[in-house]
C-alpha cells in the first residue's frame, strides 16, 4: 500500500512539473489544459496540506483545496486589477509561493525534530 501511495505521489509531482514547464515554455500539446490545471490546483493545496500535517486528514484536504482555489482566484484578480494578465507569470507565482510554503514546512519540521530530541535527552 505504501509503495502505491509513493508511486502515485511521484506521478502527481511529475505531472505538476510537466504542467509548469509546458506553461512557462509555451509548449503546445493536447495535454496542456489538463496538466496546467492540475499544477494550478495541486501545488498550492499540497503545500498547505503539508503545513497542516498533524491535523485530521479530511480537514487538511478540505483546507488545502480551499486554499488552492483562493490563491488562484486572488492571483487572477490581482493580475486583472493591475492590467498585468500573464499566464506565465501566474504559473511562476504559484510555483514560487508553493516553494516558499515548502521551505516553511521543512523549517517547521526541523524545529519540531530539534525540540523532540532535546526533550528525549532530558
Amino acid at each position: 500500500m505504501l509503495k502505491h501511495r509513493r508511486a502515485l505521489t511521484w506521478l502527481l509531482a511529475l505531472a505538476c512539473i510537466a504542467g509548469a514547464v509546458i506553461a512557462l515554455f509555451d509548449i503546445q500539446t493536447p495535454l496542456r489544459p489538463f496538466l496546467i490545471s492540475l499544477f494550478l490546483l495541486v501545488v498550492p493545496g499540497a503545500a498547505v496540506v503539508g503545513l497542516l500535517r498533524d491535523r485530521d486528514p479530511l480537514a487538511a484536504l478540505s483546507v488545502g483545496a480551499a486554499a488552492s482555489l483562493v490563491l488562484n482566484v486572488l492571483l487572477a484578480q490581482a493580475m486583472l486589477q493591475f492590467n498585468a494578465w500573464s499566464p506565465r507569470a501566474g504559473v511562476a507565482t504559484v510555483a514560487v509561493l508553493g516553494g516558499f510554503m515548502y521551505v516553511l514546512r521543512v523549517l517547521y519540521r526541523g524545529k519540531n525534530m530539534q525540540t523532540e530530541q532535546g526533550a528525549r535527552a532530558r
Side-chain angles (χ1 to χ4, degrees):
M1 179 70 175
L2 184 60
K3 286 184 179 183
H4 296 297
R5 185 175 178 191
R6 184 171 287 154
L8 183 62
T9 302
W10 276 104
L11 182 66
L12 188 61
L14 290 174
C16 287
I17 291 169
V21 168
I22 286 170
L24 291 174
F25 294 108
D26 199 23
I27 298 169
Q28 298 300 322
T29 177
L31 293 175
R32 179 183 172 97
F34 173 73
L35 291 174
I36 294 174
S37 298
L38 187 71
F39 172 80
L40 290 173
L41 293 174
V42 170
V43 169
V48 170
V49 168
L51 292 173
L52 300 173
R53 65 184 170 90
D54 293 335
R55 306 292 188 259
D56 175 42
L58 184 59
L61 187 62
S62 299
V63 170
S68 182
L69 291 173
V70 166
L71 180 93
N72 283 303
V73 168
L74 287 177
L75 178 62
Q77 286 290 333
M79 290 169 74
L80 289 172
Q81 182 70 29
F82 295 112
N83 199 22
W85 181 257
S86 169
R88 286 182 182 171
V91 168
T93 303
V94 169
V96 168
L97 289 174
F100 177 71
M101 286 189 270
Y102 179 76
V103 168
L104 285 178
R105 176 179 157 190
V106 169
L107 292 175
Y108 178 70
R109 281 189 177 176
K111 179 181 173 184
N112 282 349
M113 290 181 73
Q114 290 173 355
T115 305
E116 289 173 9
Q117 289 174 353
R120 287 182 191 158
R122 292 181 197 176

